[in-house]
Amino acid sequence: MSTKAYNEQELRTLVDAFTQPMLVLEGEGRVWVTNAAYARLLGLPVEQVEGRSFLDFIQPEERSRIGDRFHRVATGAPLDGRPQLYKVLNVHGATGEVIVQANPLRLESGRFALLLSCMVMAERPRELVVAERLVDTSAGLVSARSEEGVRRVALAGLEAAGFRARILRWDGTRWLARDGVSLPADTHLALEALSDGRPVFGGADQAQSTHAYLPVGGPQSEVLWVAGPWVAPRHGSVLTLFAKVVGAALADAHLQADGARSRWEVESVAEMARFVAQPVPPTPETFLARVAELLQARAVALHVVSGPGQAPSLFAHVGLEEGSDADAVRATGVLLATSLREDGGVLSSEAQGRALETLSQGRLGSGTAARLTRGGECVGVVQALRAKERPFDERDARLLSTLAELLVTLLEQRRLRAESARQLTETRLLLDLARTTSGVLETASILDVASDFLVHLLDVSNCFILLYDEQAKVLRGAAASATHRDLFRTVVVPLDSDDLAARVALERKPIAVEDLTSASTSVSAVLIDRLGEKALLGLPLTSREELIGVVLVDDVRGPRPFGPELIDLAEATCGQLALSIANARLYESLWASYAELAATRAEMVKRERFAALGELSAIVAHEVRNPLGVIFNAVATLRRIMNPGGDTAMLLDIVAEESDRLNRMVADLLDFTRPRNPVLQPEDLLRVLQDAFEAARAQALTERPVYISVEVEPGLSTVPMDRRQIRQALFNVAVNAIQAMPQGGEVRVRGRRDTHGGREQLRIDVMDQGPGIPAELLHRVFEPFFTTKAQGTGLGLAVVKRILEEHRGEIAVESAPGRGTTFTFWLPLTQPQSLS
């Protein structure tokens, strides 16, 4: 090592003096100083070289070794002074060979430095460079993981060696260029090279050959077309060897791809098998979506054979929603005929591809299909479709055929599950019917439940039940399944008509019409026209040879045969239904008799009680009113004689007020106990309402303003009623309403027609703005002698209730704390003028 210590400027002056490449390394191997010759060698400016690691400009294979060598020298290891040969990379990726002589330097800072003097080797022969490039490319083919990768590396290597190259494939009838460019004019030479397995040189229009066809071999019939100035027969062995290496790489990549594809197929099929074997089988659409994902298909369709001798029909599909036009759906029928004839998967032909492309408006152009078989019989077809740019191959068809077997398993699982669910549903329905018929003794409830039950049990569209009216000799609509209950209650079928229901009733046997559009049997026009029935089954309801009615079930989906098993099941159900109806009728008859007896007894007890109470009330009233009259006279006399004032006047007022209250209590008691029959006459409703409420306001004597609004529906000018009694009832309710609003407010009265109890009645609503009635007391407001007032008798509302009952009406009350109270009167609008 030189003993002189250099600084940066001295080193720059030193290296610039040389015409050969020179550089100084320091620290961790950074280029500290370099001259223009070294920068030109790299193809970079000097400022882009200095400051970077010198390893950046060495071929990658040597970087680790040279880096370790520099580190050893920098840390004190002896320097091997012999020249070293390296390959240097320029900015364009080309390599140049240089001989490097290294000398250590001492810097003024005391750091280690190394002076490198480079001598560029002369350019090697073209043949050697090309051979090396082809060898490097052959080594790179090993790392290519796919056939396309092998082709890409091979073409790139040939282009780097100075050739123009492309790959041609023979499909059995013609040559195809993989890169899509135009084919050479002399492709017949390519076929010769492929047939003989040797290179064939072309360029008949030149003195020397300009290109060559090199048979690659491999899994596909491929040929390398290579053109360039170095193409000559003397180099044929090198080119042939390279082509064989490419072919071997293609075969290896194909083998690896086949292995990976086989493993993927096995894993995919296993995953699909687990998918199908779930406790709840997936839907066909979900399965088809998985198939589309595996095959990278744009659309997958499933056609199913619904019955023996029938053509497959589209059952499920995915990927056809885009556009959703009829042509896209019809595209799924292109491969049907072919797939039905052949076992295993089939691929679309060119003609079928064109048909797919036309029907799908260019979205689809390639397809594969597979038959679904069960027990040796074809049950359907599954097919996958995608664009023509990505055609299916034999491996796709094989995979689809395997998946078709899983799809058959899935459809069978779903069928068995549906059958089990149907049987479970039938069992539950039978249990529900048995529970209903045994626990419910109301005919209407039994019929409604039975109608819905028969729809589910027999898988029909509607069920109708007609009951026999023996007096009128007709069948009357009594019940129907949920959709048409209101419609069917108006149906009446005379027993002497030629209607199917009448025939079933007379013949006492089931009658089935499988196709109503072509049958001559007469059926109710209501059912045919409004419901669009296509098939009909009539069943008699009989109990102990007595006709109870007829059951009709229909199907609006299309003509349908009613098999013997279905008719037997329906007859057994109808037998149970008829027995339940007979029992319910017997129960209803007994209950009606019991209810009538109980009502008669209650009425007798009530009359006896009122008679006794009335007699007692009359005696009490007589005995009380005589002293009351004396008290009233005495008070009046004392006021006239004494002209009292102060406490005396106050005491006399108390005596008079309490005597008056006692007199009103006696009057209320007499009103409640006195039996009266209303005398009904047409009365002006508006006037009755106004009189009652004006009288109530006058008596209530409230200090706060009370407003009363009365509204009567037009057309209700006169209503049959006992004016005096209804006025008394309204008066009692009005007084309560006014007294419930000590701070004042509004009492609204509204009279109108409304339907109640199945008939049109007069409805009178009296609404106040008081504090309301607590919910726990609401049910007691009509009880005699119940009151929440300090001075009330508790008979006012009891009298109201009795008056309305004597008018064959009703009274109801609604109230919520803080939201007021509403009393509702119901009075018949059509009844005799007198009930006496």
Side-chain angles (χ1 to χ4, degrees):
M1 176 185 296
S2 174
T3 58
K4 178 178 173 53
Y6 292 89
N7 58 31
E8 179 181 352
Q9 184 58 40
E10 291 174 338
L11 288 175
R12 191 172 298 280
T13 302
L14 175 65
V15 298
D16 286 343
F18 290 89
T19 57
Q20 67 190 61
M22 300 283 288
L23 68 158
V24 177
L25 306 180
E26 61 91 20
E28 297 297 326
R30 290 187 305 106
V31 178
W32 193 32
V33 175
T34 185
N35 63 1
Y38 186 73
R40 283 195 301 273
L41 178 64
L42 301 179
L44 293 170
V46 171
E47 56 270 17
Q48 293 186 16
V49 177
E50 293 180 347
R52 294 176 58 182
S53 172
F54 80 101
L55 296 177
D56 293 347
F57 312 115
I58 304 263
Q59 66 176 358
E61 294 83 359
E62 285 273 79
R63 288 174 184 170
S64 297
R65 185 183 70 84
I66 295 178
D68 289 344
R69 182 178 178 83
F70 177 83
H71 179 71
R72 293 179 61 190
V73 172
T75 54
L79 175 67
D80 187 352
R82 290 176 296 179
Q84 302 291 325
L85 180 64
Y86 300 122
K87 284 186 178 181
V88 178
L89 297 175
N90 65 19
V91 71
H92 303 295
T95 60
E97 291 184 339
V98 295
I99 296 177
V100 179
Q101 178 68 46
N103 293 292
L105 293 175
R106 187 165 61 89
L107 303 178
E108 288 182 347
S109 62
R111 290 179 300 171
F112 170 79
L114 202 63
L115 174 65
L116 301 182
S117 175
C118 305
M119 184 176 64
V120 181
M121 299 293 294
E123 187 175 354
R124 293 178 298 162
R126 173 68 176 171
E127 288 82 355
L128 181 59
V129 173
V130 170
E132 287 183 351
R133 286 296 178 95
L134 294 181
V135 170
D136 290 342
T137 303
S138 299
L141 292 174
V142 177
S143 61
R145 297 181 178 276
S146 65
E147 294 181 63
E148 287 301 319
V150 170
R151 296 185 184 98
R152 210 165 34 246
V153 171
L155 293 177
L158 288 169
E159 291 177 359
F163 296 106
R164 290 178 290 115
R166 68 185 66 164
I167 296 178
L168 310 179
R169 180 174 65 86
W170 178 254
D171 68 352
T173 58
R174 58 178 179 171
W175 286 102
L176 302 173
R178 284 201 172 269
D179 49 8
V181 300
S182 60
L183 295 170
D186 55 354
T187 51
H188 62 282
L189 298 178
L191 188 59
E192 179 183 343
L194 184 65
S195 301
D196 296 345
R198 59 178 176 80
V200 175
F201 293 85
D205 56 340
Q206 301 290 330
Q208 295 182 352
S209 56
T210 59
H211 58 275
Y213 293 96
L214 308 175
V216 173
Q220 302 188 30
S221 300
E222 294 180 326
V223 168
L224 267 174
W225 177 84
V226 181
W230 194 68
V231 175
R234 68 179 181 274
H235 303 133
S237 59
V238 176
L239 295 174
T240 300
L241 178 60
F242 180 74
K244 289 184 179 296
V245 172
V246 173
L250 286 173
D252 183 61
H254 183 75
L255 183 61
Q256 292 183 19
D258 273 353
R261 169 79 183 209
S262 298
R263 290 191 298 273
W264 173 78
E265 286 185 3
V266 170
E267 293 173 357
S268 299
V269 171
E271 176 62 26
M272 289 294 280
R274 289 191 293 270
F275 180 63
V276 169
Q278 296 180 87
V280 178
T283 63
E285 288 79 7
T286 307
F287 184 91
L288 297 183
R290 288 287 189 95
V291 174
E293 182 180 351
L294 288 176
L295 294 178
Q296 298 182 356
R298 280 194 174 182
V300 179
L302 170 63
H303 286 72
V304 173
V305 178
S306 57
Q310 296 186 5
S313 58
L314 186 61
F315 179 75
H317 63 83
V318 295
L320 296 179
E321 291 76 12
E322 300 177 13
S324 297
D325 55 356
D327 289 340
V329 175
R330 283 201 298 272
T332 62
V334 172
L335 295 177
L336 273 181
T338 305
S339 58
L340 288 173
R341 291 193 305 266
E342 299 183 19
D343 293 331
V346 298
L347 297 171
S348 58
S349 62
E350 289 188 13
Q352 290 171 333
R354 288 193 295 271
L356 285 172
E357 189 174 7
T358 301
L359 290 173
S360 65
Q361 300 179 354
R363 288 183 58 246
L364 309 173
S366 175
T368 178
R371 283 200 311 170
L372 308 179
T373 58
R374 184 174 62 241
E377 295 184 1
C378 177
V379 296
V381 172
V382 61
Q383 56 183 295
L385 307 171
R386 63 189 181 195
K388 68 175 182 179
E389 293 81 9
R390 300 181 64 252
F392 291 101
D393 56 25
E394 294 293 339
R395 296 176 301 177
D396 296 323
R398 182 177 66 248
L399 176 59
L400 183 63
S401 180
T402 304
L403 295 177
E405 298 177 7
L406 291 176
L407 182 53
V408 172
T409 303
L410 171 63
L411 295 176
E412 182 65 13
Q413 284 182 345
R414 291 185 63 84
R415 186 189 67 81
L416 293 175
R417 187 177 181 85
E419 180 67 20
S420 300
R422 186 186 63 80
Q423 293 177 357
L424 179 60
T425 300
E426 290 181 1
T427 303
R428 286 177 176 173
L429 288 172
L430 288 169
L431 290 174
D432 289 342
L433 181 65
R435 189 181 300 113
T436 301
T437 55
S438 62
V440 178
L441 292 173
E442 296 179 0
T443 304
S445 299
I446 292 175
L447 295 180
D448 288 342
V449 171
S451 301
D452 294 333
F453 167 78
L454 285 170
V455 167
H456 295 291
L457 180 66
L458 304 179
D459 187 25
V460 293
S461 301
N462 302 292
C463 174
F464 309 99
I465 299 178
L466 302 100
L467 295 183
Y468 177 52
D469 186 341
E470 187 173 4
Q471 293 183 349
K473 302 298 181 184
V474 296
L475 295 168
R476 299 186 185 276
S481 47
T483 310
H484 304 292
R485 278 186 182 140
D486 294 335
L487 165 68
F488 197 70
R489 288 192 178 98
T490 63
V491 174
V492 177
V493 178
L495 207 61
D496 56 358
S497 67
D498 60 350
D499 193 273
L500 182 137
R503 286 181 50 199
V504 171
L506 293 174
E507 298 178 15
R508 308 287 179 89
K509 66 178 183 181
I511 298 177
V513 182
E514 299 180 358
D515 188 356
L516 286 171
T517 59
S518 60
S520 59
T521 303
S522 174
V523 182
S524 174
V526 174
L527 303 182
I528 296 293
D529 297 340
R530 296 195 183 183
L531 307 183
E533 293 179 318
K534 303 296 188 301
L536 189 64
L537 172 63
L539 301 147
L541 285 174
T542 58
S543 177
R544 299 182 179 89
E545 302 301 324
E546 178 185 353
L547 178 64
I548 294 178
V550 171
V551 174
L552 299 176
V553 295
D554 67 16
D555 204 320
V556 301
R557 295 167 291 189
R560 168 183 177 173
F562 295 98
E565 294 181 358
L566 185 141
I567 293 178
D568 290 343
L569 178 61
E571 279 191 296
T573 307
C574 289
Q576 176 64 33
L577 177 59
L579 181 60
S580 300
I581 293 173
N583 292 338
R585 285 180 171 178
L586 178 60
Y587 172 78
E588 289 173 354
S589 177
L590 292 174
W591 178 256
S593 300
Y594 173 76
E596 183 178 356
L597 180 61
T600 303
R601 179 179 177 277
E603 183 65 23
M604 291 177 63
V605 171
K606 180 179 177 182
R607 287 181 178 274
E608 290 294 331
R609 184 183 63 183
F610 279 149
L613 186 57
E615 184 177 353
L616 177 61
S617 299
I619 295 172
V620 171
H622 177 73
E623 295 298 328
V624 170
R625 278 187 167 176
N626 286 336
L628 282 177
V630 175
I631 294 173
F632 285 140
N633 291 332
V635 170
T637 302
L638 287 173
R639 282 178 174 168
R640 187 176 61 254
I641 295 173
M642 296 176 61
N643 191 18
D647 291 343
T648 303
M650 181 187 68
L651 293 173
L652 288 175
D653 289 340
I654 292 173
V655 172
E657 182 180 346
E658 291 301 316
S659 300
D660 184 62
R661 188 168 70 87
L662 184 59
N663 187 50
R664 287 199 306 272
M665 291 177 62
V666 172
D668 288 344
L669 184 61
L670 289 175
D671 285 341
F672 179 69
T673 58
R674 184 184 300 121
R676 293 169 297 183
N677 289 327
V679 178
L680 304 182
Q681 297 293 337
E683 299 290 349
D684 187 338
L685 177 61
L686 180 59
R687 184 173 179 181
V688 172
L689 294 174
Q690 290 175 342
D691 289 349
F693 280 84
E694 288 300 328
R697 179 160 57 182
Q699 179 166 326
L701 298 176
T702 177
E703 296 180 358
R704 300 289 183 174
V706 174
Y707 302 96
I708 298 177
S709 63
V710 180
E711 178 185 348
V712 176
E713 178 185 326
L716 277 176
S717 56
T718 60
V719 177
M721 67 176 71
D722 187 314
R723 176 185 179 88
R724 186 180 62 81
Q725 292 187 19
I726 295 300
R727 182 183 181 280
Q728 178 66 38
L730 292 169
F731 175 85
N732 290 355
V733 172
V735 169
N736 285 349
I738 294 172
Q739 291 177 350
M741 301 185 299
Q743 303 302 320
E746 181 184 11
V747 178
R748 296 178 55 202
V749 186
R750 183 170 60 176
R752 57 191 173 96
R753 289 185 178 88
D754 200 355
T755 301
H756 182 69
R759 59 177 177 168
E760 189 177 53
Q761 298 194 34
L762 168 64
R763 175 174 176 169
I764 302 174
D765 293 316
V766 180
M767 297 164 279
D768 64 47
Q769 296 177 340
I773 302 173
E776 63 273 12
L777 302 179
L778 198 61
H779 67 286
R780 300 189 59 192
V781 296
F782 298 112
E783 292 182 6
F785 305 108
F786 172 77
T787 182
T788 58
K789 300 176 184 177
Q791 297 182 351
T793 62
L795 292 173
L797 291 180
V799 170
V800 173
K801 186 173 187 296
R802 200 194 70 182
I803 290 174
L804 288 177
E805 288 176 349
E806 290 172 349
H807 278 73
R808 296 181 183 176
E810 296 180 25
I811 185 171
V813 60
E814 293 183 3
S815 183
R819 299 175 59 183
T821 303
T822 299
F823 283 90
T824 300
F825 289 53
W826 298 97
L827 289 172
L829 286 172
T830 55
Q831 62 180 353
Q833 292 186 350
S834 177
L835 300 178
S836 55

